[in-house]
Amino acid sequence: MNRSLLFVTVLVIATCGLVYELVVGTLASYLLGDSVTQFSTIIGVYLFAMGVGSYLSRYLERGLARRFVDIELAVALLGGTCAPVLFFSFAWPAVFRLAVYGMVLGVGTLVGLEIPLLLRILKDQLKFKDLVSQVLTFDYLGALAASLLFPLLLVPRLGLVRTSLLFGLLNAAVGLWSTWLLEPALGGVKLLRVRAGLVCLLLAGGVVSADRLNGWAEAQQYVDEVVHATSSPYQRIVLTRGARGFSLFLNGGLQFASVDEYRYHEALVHPAMVRAANIKKVLILGGGDGLAAREVLRYPEVESVTLVDLDPEMTSLAKSYADLAVLNGHSLENPKLHVHNEDAMRFLADGDEEFDALIIDFPDPHNFSVGKLYTTRFYELVARHLAPGAVAVVQSTSPLFARQSFWCVDATLRAAGFWTEPYHALVPSFGEWGYVLAARAPPARVRDLPKGLRFLSDETLPTLGQFPLDMDRVPAEVNRLNNQVLVRYYEDEWRRWN
Amino acid sequence: MELGRRDLVAAFLGTAVAQAACRRGSRTPRPIPGELVDRQVEVGHLLRGAPPPIAPGPPRTVDVLVVGAGIAGLCAAWRLASAGIEDLVVCELDSEAGGTARSGRNAVSAFPWGAHYLPAPRSDRGPVARLLRELGAITGVDAEGRPSFAEQLLVREPEERLFYRGAWYEGLYLRAGASAADLAELARFEAKMDSFAAWVDGKGRKAFDVPSGKGSDDAEVTSLDRLSMAEWMDAEGYRSSRLRWLVDYACRDDFGARAEHVSAWAGVWYFAARHDGKTKSAGYLTWPEGNGRLVRQLATAVGPRRLLTSALVHTVEPGEDGCRVHALDARTRAPTSFFARQVVFAGPRFVAGRVLSPWRKAPPGFLAEFQYSPWVVANLTLSAPPPSRGFPLAWDNVLYESQSLGYVVATHQLERADDSGPTVLTWYYALAGGDVRAERARLLSAGYSEWEQLVAADLAPAHPGLDALATRLEVWRWGHAMVRPRPGFIWGGARRAAEESLGARVHFAHSDLGGMALFEEACFFGVRAAERCLAGLGRAGESWQ
Ligand SMILES: Cc1cc2nc3c(=O)[nH]c(=O)nc-3n(C[C@H](O)[C@H](O)[C@H](O)COP(=O)(O)OP(=O)(O)OC[C@H]3O[C@@H](n4cnc5c(N)ncnc54)[C@H](O)[C@@H]3O)c2cc1C
């Protein structure tokens, strides 16, 4: 048998094997959030499964060449469809994790069988030393090819769904092709070829219609239909629409749902606004969707609103996407509002402007970068921007799902020298949600609530500060740049609920 | 894959890296544009060649002349300036102050060329704490005199991670896959270091303190100096390869030498000096430019007027009523001469032997006992943070299977939350073998293209595709980077003899006098030399130490 052809085979199957692993790993961290452990557990399980495959190879005794073709076809099917299947199963969280690990175990085991089988099939045709050295060389080369192609070419150009289908197709092609390559060892090949041909056709069909599949698959992540999706350098932004309005997702995490966002944003903005001595100058950190700004702009006394959001893609979407602009009351076009697409920490460190009210609405502290925005250092920077009598408010994740995280934010604000008043509100799409009001000294109520609110009233406002037993204060360490305890609390606590 | 690259990588970084980086087939990564930025060869020539011409005309008279603007020289000048010595000159042969704590800067970030952190001091007394107060780094002091530090200057989390076989793990001890026996040995080692840290002699001195001269000279402690760290580990029955790796890494990182070539006293000092065995230490202070920030603080305190850069001192001639000092401009070769009532020589021993005129003819025996590890520092600018698997990018990123010391991320401490932008990685490599001359030859045998290949090969297994992000690489080869605390050196006679002043007018200051290249040692000797000058000038005051 022609050697160089053989090595091309090894190269292709090695590349395919690593691509499947990368697809599943990327998908898992993409859909499950950028948890620190996601990728490395996938790698671990995959390597383990390959070991299982290699071990099992000893039980395959006869008809090795036939087995090899079958295994190629099986890998092609399983690996090739891994991305669409996983995207699809994301709609059912309970199934998804199982599907991820099932997929990794299945593909890993099959891939682990490939090389040992091939070595045994070829053991009589080459000297053992050459055989091992050359097969492994090409195996590793294939791995290199995959690891380079994947981030540089495949994900950006093809996307995950098409990548996985395309490599499945390649794998199936190797299966079909080996019916010729190994023909002497195979015996009857007709039926095998038909089978291989069918698998190829199926996957080729998938590649061709990947776009439709892709949209459909992403849609499966969401209960509702995806109506808009873009990727910025910072995040994936997806808007969905359903019977009860629309929702915004950043990196797969729900940002708001139009049905109940008013609860979230009224509770975020007004408790601070009615207690700030003045409200001429307001600062909003985060909140690029313009919804907090809408609440702020309900007060005629407000003269200027400075909105600092890292992602220009987000603020321009909030301005130009019609439904969103209607929902935020065209706040981003209001002449009082000034957008700074800038890092909030840098904005505070570099500037010296003072504000009367500060609305701090960052994503939850789910990684070390965002975690910096919840540290004593960050709050020291905030303090430098407080005008006399100013009040700040911090969205502080859920006191129910992430109780210690919530109280950690409160403890951190206090350690930074703030008087605080924690409170919470029920936002059905999110659950019980928490906020912490912060100021230099306890502020008195000085202002009426604006007209037209749907959630807050003079009667309910004072009740927000009451915490039921299961959300009440627990001891928590202070979150500092040099310990980032909050990120660790948060990861632990949400893992328990998910 | 040509054989040359693989051999090169194996020789400098070990076979594991060579295998991992070179198995990746025939595609040699795209070469990263850049250059060597050290100029050590020229300067060495100037000192070794025939004595340069001497300036005609009368010399400029000064109260104190400081040779060298490394940390020791700058601390001496800072002490003198604070005591009101106006007539003061610091001569530094390099184009900028800093020595091995120098830093650089480009459009992306400032970055270190050498020292990159200062362990936060335990007490608010002494010159290091004074400097930090002047810098605004100390924000308060508790009842027991323990200072607290500005949060943004302490290394922020995540602090360290370790790469092993395909993924990154948190911390510097390889916990992944550690057996119960490994962990038990680690715990035993840590308990032992805690007990060393808590140990106090009859005079109330810690066994190991900062600066090291403050520690105990009790034989129970100093006898450690007779063994190498590796021998001590053997004698104590530490066999876990993970623990041995950690200790060897620490020796290479702090002293530029393997555990076999480092005194056990110095090795234990590293683990036991900065805490008292009970309370945790406050951590490390660091800046994007590393200790370059402290250099700037000191240089500002000394005053730019008094700092003469590109000024190579080639001769110091002690006399009855003062010293003649001859220097020349390292760029134009123009000579200058000084007459100084007191001199602080803040260069290393191997330079002292060539510059002090009495020592040229009759070099004291102790000079030859000072040995220095060569190092390479490379700053790699990237258009985005390197993608990696497992635990996310940390401040200090170490590769378990490599002979390099990994890299530090210069942008880690920047006051911003978003970490997705361009960055600079500072890569460290110590030539840690036993024969420092041979190591220096090895250092210089490799030019830009070799060091470029080494940096790329070292990082490739952990960051596939890194070459696509790399925009520039600059490499600095330090021939004599760090004094080496070989077994017997710290408590031997040579080091202590070298601490003595030469007559009443030449006082020595350099970290090599302490036997360990550390900021605190340099600062201690700098301030002490300055206080000896003050005494010589009849202006002695209260000591800062
Ligand atoms: C790669 C590297 C990393 C390090 N990391 C750390 C760290 O993280 N933390 C830490 O505490 N320490 C670190 N160190 C140790 C560092 O050396 C010390 O902290 C400190 O900077 C030493 O200062 P020094 O003044 O004793 O010596 P040097 O830095 O050697 O200063 C001597 C100065 O004298 C000048 N000089 C010498 N001869 C002459 C002459 N004839 N005329 C004029 N000028 C002359 C030299 O140019 C130089 O500037 C590191 C060292 C290296 C090399």
Side-chain angles (χ1 to χ4, degrees), chain A residues 21 40-56 101 104-113:
Chain A
E21 182 204 347
S40 60
T41 45
I42 300 274
I43 298 164
V45 173
Y46 188 80
L47 289 177
F48 167 70
M50 280 178 69
V52 172
S54 306
Y55 176 75
L56 291 179
Y101 287 99
V104 172
L105 275 171
V107 176
T109 308
L110 290 171
V111 169
L113 280 164

Side-chain angles (χ1 to χ4, degrees), chain B residues 365-370 486 488-489 491-499 513:
Chain B
F366 58 72
L367 288 183
E369 296 296 311
F370 284 76
R486 290 172 297 130
F489 182 67
W491 290 96
R495 188 189 64 77
R496 278 181 288 171
E499 287 189 42
L513 294 175

Side-chain angles (χ1 to χ4, degrees), chain B residues 26-63:
Chain B
S26 43
R27 191 191 85 108
T28 311
R30 185 182 67 90
I32 307 165
E35 62 186 341
L36 286 178
V37 292
D38 56 82
R39 287 172 314 276
Q40 51 195 341
V41 189
E42 293 163 48
V43 171
H45 265 278
L46 283 175
L47 272 180
R48 250 169 274 142
I54 287 183
R60 179 176 154 197
T61 302
V62 292
D63 281 338

Side-chain angles (χ1 to χ4, degrees), chain B residues 2 188 197 201 218 249 256-257 269 284 337 356 367 403 443 502:
Chain B
E2 84 274 34
R188 178 160 73 90
D201 71 9
D218 192 291
Y249 164 80
W269 185 94
Y284 300 126
S337 294
L356 291 169
L367 288 183
Q403 296 297 312
L443 168 83
L502 177 61

Side-chain angles (χ1 to χ4, degrees), chain B residues 47 67-73 91-94 98-101 113-117 291 311-313 346-348 351 355 375 377 428 478 481-482 510-512 517-520 522:
Chain B
L47 272 180
V67 183
I71 296 299
C91 293
E92 165 58 49
L93 65 83
D94 208 342
T100 48
W113 276 125
H116 60 285
Y117 68 87
N291 291 4
L312 167 73
V313 171
V351 178
V355 170
W375 276 67
V377 181
Y428 288 93
W478 293 99
M482 288 183 170
H510 190 272
S511 52
D512 66 357
L518 296 161
F519 185 92
E520 299 97 320

Side-chain angles (χ1 to χ4, degrees), chain A residues 466-487:
Chain A
Q466 295 165 6
F467 281 83
L469 290 177
D470 61 352
M471 307 197 301
D472 211 358
R473 184 182 296 275
V474 283
E477 268 188 70
V478 172
N479 187 43
R480 300 183 190 279
L481 283 173
N482 56 326
N483 66 17
Q484 293 252 22
V485 285
L486 179 58
V487 174

